[in-house]
Amino acid sequence: MTSSPSDRLTRAALDLRIETAVGQSVEVLRQHRDDGLLDAPHAALADAHRDLVAAERDVGFYRVRLAGLASSDLPVDQALFARIERTLDQLAQAARLREAKQTAAAAALEPIEAGDLRQVPRQIPTKDVAALLAIAQGAKLHEHLVTHRLAVATPTRTRIS
């Protein structure tokens, strides 16, 4: 399921907290969710955020609709008052739903923030980075049978110990 273009433009109140806790944008988080790359807590957060954005979009829709009713060239009569009252009720319901979705998203965010004891990744030595890059480009990893030393042989016959 992909997000609609309006979802990418709609910002939620928790976006900054989510981006800080996750370490990436909410768009990337949702893309990783769509690709199935997230663990359970992050997937739950992405789903809760998607629901929150939909609720936020609904609130915006009813606000624009109400503004259009109030500022249009429609005749001021009982039918207009009924439409305004109905739109106000729909806006109130959408706002209550948004608050519930925001509470659910905050609850899904709490375990991630609590487990946010990010450890600084240890530095990988330069020769190991070179070996990993060579393996990624098709080199083969060899282990000496007696000494158990590892070496990487690249396609150009260069060996990296």
Side-chain angles (χ1 to χ4, degrees):
M1 172 189 219
T2 59
S3 60
S4 67
S6 62
D7 281 356
R8 290 187 201 106
L9 301 175
T10 305
R11 299 291 290 177
L14 294 177
D15 282 359
L16 185 60
R17 270 183 66 193
I18 292 171
E19 290 173 351
T20 302
V22 175
Q24 56 194 1
S25 70
V26 291
E27 290 83 11
V28 171
L29 177 71
R30 290 173 65 175
Q31 183 61 43
H32 287 175
R33 172 62 174 132
D34 293 341
D35 294 339
L37 301 175
L38 298 178
D39 59 356
H42 286 85
L45 176 61
D47 292 340
H49 181 266
R50 180 172 282 137
D51 293 343
L52 175 60
V53 167
E56 192 75 46
R57 187 182 59 239
D58 291 346
V59 168
F61 170 78
Y62 289 118
R63 287 179 68 184
V64 169
R65 188 171 179 189
L66 184 62
L69 287 173
S71 67
S72 70
D73 295 328
L74 296 174
V76 178
D77 57 2
Q78 291 303 318
L80 177 65
F81 292 138
R83 289 177 69 189
I84 289 174
E85 187 175 340
R86 187 172 50 246
T87 304
L88 277 171
D89 291 341
Q90 291 168 335
L91 177 61
Q93 183 180 0
R96 284 191 299 273
L97 180 65
R98 180 193 59 192
E99 300 240 349
K101 297 296 181 181
Q102 188 167 350
T103 303
L109 181 60
E110 285 177 5
I112 294 172
E113 286 179 330
D116 191 24
L117 305 173
R118 287 191 195 127
Q119 298 175 352
V120 177
R122 62 183 185 98
Q123 294 294 329
I124 300 173
T126 306
K127 64 180 184 173
D128 290 345
V129 171
L132 290 172
L133 287 173
I135 291 170
Q137 295 172 352
K140 299 198 188 280
L141 182 64
H142 298 283
E143 180 179 10
H144 192 278
L145 293 175
V146 176
T147 63
H148 298 291
R149 288 191 63 191
L150 297 174
V152 175
T154 64
T156 60
R157 304 284 184 193
T158 306
R159 292 182 68 87
I160 304 171
S161 60

